[in-house]
Amino acid sequence: MNTSFGRDTGLQVRMLVTMLLLGLVYVVFAGVLFASTSGAVALIGCALLLGFQFFASDKLALRSMGAHEVSPQEAPEFHAMIERLCVQADIPKPKVAIVNSPIPNAFAMGRSPKSATVCATTGIMDLLSPSELEGVMAHEVTHIVNRDVMIMTMCGFFASIASMIVQFGFFFGGGYGGGYSNNDDDDGPSFMVIILISAIVWVVSFFLMQALSRYREFAADRGAAVITGRPSALASALLKISGVNERIPQGDLRAHSEMNAFYIVPVQVKASLYNLFSTHPPMEKRIAALGRLESQLQSSGPVRPALA
């Protein structure tokens, strides 16, 4: 059986389509913003913020989570595990970090394999067996291989800019006298038009990101199964993490909610309408997909995406 690891073609196509659609939306968005008075200044500001987000967002996220990089001497077994997985996936070994938190979770950050960091909490390292932890970290290594962390970061940036404009506009009642300046309406679109376009941009971005985010989790689960050859270990890990999260006070979980899109398991656990817009597929579907992959491996058949 050929279990060599390769990029998920379905994910690559979806990321390309998502970026193209978002690109079209933001061309319209930029055109409306640029047509307004001070629009050029706003676009320059957005460009500077985009550059900052692209090069510094991962460092800020790691710092906000209290992650600290560990050396091979500090965590020899963890480093050895990551090194084995990266050899299997044929990527450079990323930086390795640990978060001192009882909440069991893991995530990967970085715009490329060469600048990536994989991180696990002390909670997940204490909770899982070595094979289960290996499955979780193989999932995170797959995110690095697929470069989907960078795509999600870029999409999230643009959605945040649109959201900020909408919130700013409503907070100030639609701008000063309905426009960006005191000039006649013919000088540019009113601020309310910009708010409307921004709201549409945010909605489109949100749904594109949610669809991509769910698929990328399936793709990373599959990648972990291919790398380790043990889908059942990852399935067991996911069930353990979810079980512990259900017993953690909601106030403690909310402090981590901003990182949900990057966690292997989102921290919100209570059933609600919000779950319909979750960044991750339902747990039962992930477990079922891993079960089908396990059957394929046991029957020595080719490993195919089990996403249906």
Side-chain angles (χ1 to χ4, degrees):
M1 179 182 64
N2 179 16
T3 59
S4 61
F5 186 77
R7 290 191 178 183
D8 188 295
T9 303
L11 178 61
Q12 300 300 311
V13 171
R14 282 168 171 79
M15 289 196 299
L16 178 61
V17 171
T18 299
M19 291 304 292
L20 287 176
L21 290 176
L22 281 174
L24 291 174
V25 170
Y26 288 111
V27 165
V28 176
F29 182 43
V32 173
L33 193 60
F34 191 78
S36 66
T37 304
S38 302
V41 175
L43 287 179
I44 292 173
C46 287
L48 292 174
L49 286 173
L50 176 58
F52 179 78
Q53 179 85 353
F54 184 77
F55 290 104
S57 61
D58 54 338
K59 298 177 181 63
L60 291 177
L62 290 166
R63 183 176 299 177
S64 69
M65 290 301 301
H68 65 279
E69 187 177 347
V70 292
S71 67
Q73 291 72 33
E74 294 174 294
E77 294 180 359
F78 193 39
H79 264 272
M81 177 186 293
I82 300 301
E83 190 163 356
R84 284 198 309 273
L85 295 172
C86 290
V87 169
Q88 289 289 102
D90 193 25
I91 63 169
K93 182 183 175 184
K95 296 176 184 176
V96 178
I98 293 176
V99 174
N100 185 17
S101 170
I103 297 176
N105 236 309
F107 58 93
M109 300 297 296
R111 62 186 182 274
S112 70
K114 291 183 178 180
S115 63
T117 301
V118 291
C119 186
T121 64
T122 52
I124 200 172
M125 297 175 76
D126 293 338
L127 174 69
L128 303 182
S129 69
S131 62
E132 291 168 342
L133 182 60
E134 185 177 59
V136 167
M137 300 318 296
H139 174 104
E140 301 307 330
V141 166
T142 303
H143 280 314
I144 296 173
V145 174
N146 290 333
R147 298 174 182 261
D148 55 27
V149 175
M150 179 189 69
I151 300 298
M152 290 298 294
T153 300
M154 298 286 286
C155 294
F157 167 78
F158 288 118
S160 297
I161 291 296
S163 176
M164 286 171 55
I165 291 176
V166 172
Q167 294 176 34
F168 176 85
F170 281 114
F171 181 78
F172 287 101
Y176 303 98
Y180 249 123
S181 69
N182 294 324
N183 295 336
D184 295 335
D185 291 341
D186 291 339
D187 289 344
S190 72
F191 196 55
M192 287 306 298
V193 172
I194 296 175
I195 293 175
L196 177 61
I197 296 297
S198 299
I200 294 172
V201 166
W202 183 86
V203 170
V204 172
S205 302
F206 176 83
F207 284 106
L208 286 174
M209 287 172 59
Q210 298 306 93
L212 175 61
S213 182
R214 293 189 189 100
Y215 188 93
R216 86 184 189 109
E217 293 303 325
F218 276 128
D221 285 349
R222 175 181 176 269
V226 173
I227 292 174
T228 65
R230 292 192 297 271
S232 58
L234 176 57
S236 175
L238 294 176
L239 289 173
K240 281 187 178 181
I241 296 168
S242 297
V244 170
N245 279 348
E246 290 174 358
R247 299 193 296 271
I248 295 175
Q250 290 294 303
D252 295 340
L253 294 178
R254 287 191 199 99
H256 293 253
S257 61
E258 291 185 359
M259 286 289 293
N260 267 347
F262 299 98
Y263 282 151
I264 189 170
V265 175
V267 295
Q268 76 272 5
V269 295
K270 287 188 175 180
S272 67
L273 182 63
Y274 178 78
N275 290 346
L276 295 175
F277 307 106
S278 175
T279 55
H280 291 56
M283 184 59 68
E284 58 270 19
K285 290 189 176 182
R286 294 178 71 180
I287 299 301
L290 287 167
R292 290 192 289 272
L293 284 170
E294 184 79 23
S295 298
Q296 290 178 28
L297 286 170
Q298 290 178 354
S299 63
S300 299
V303 178
R304 295 182 297 271
L307 306 179

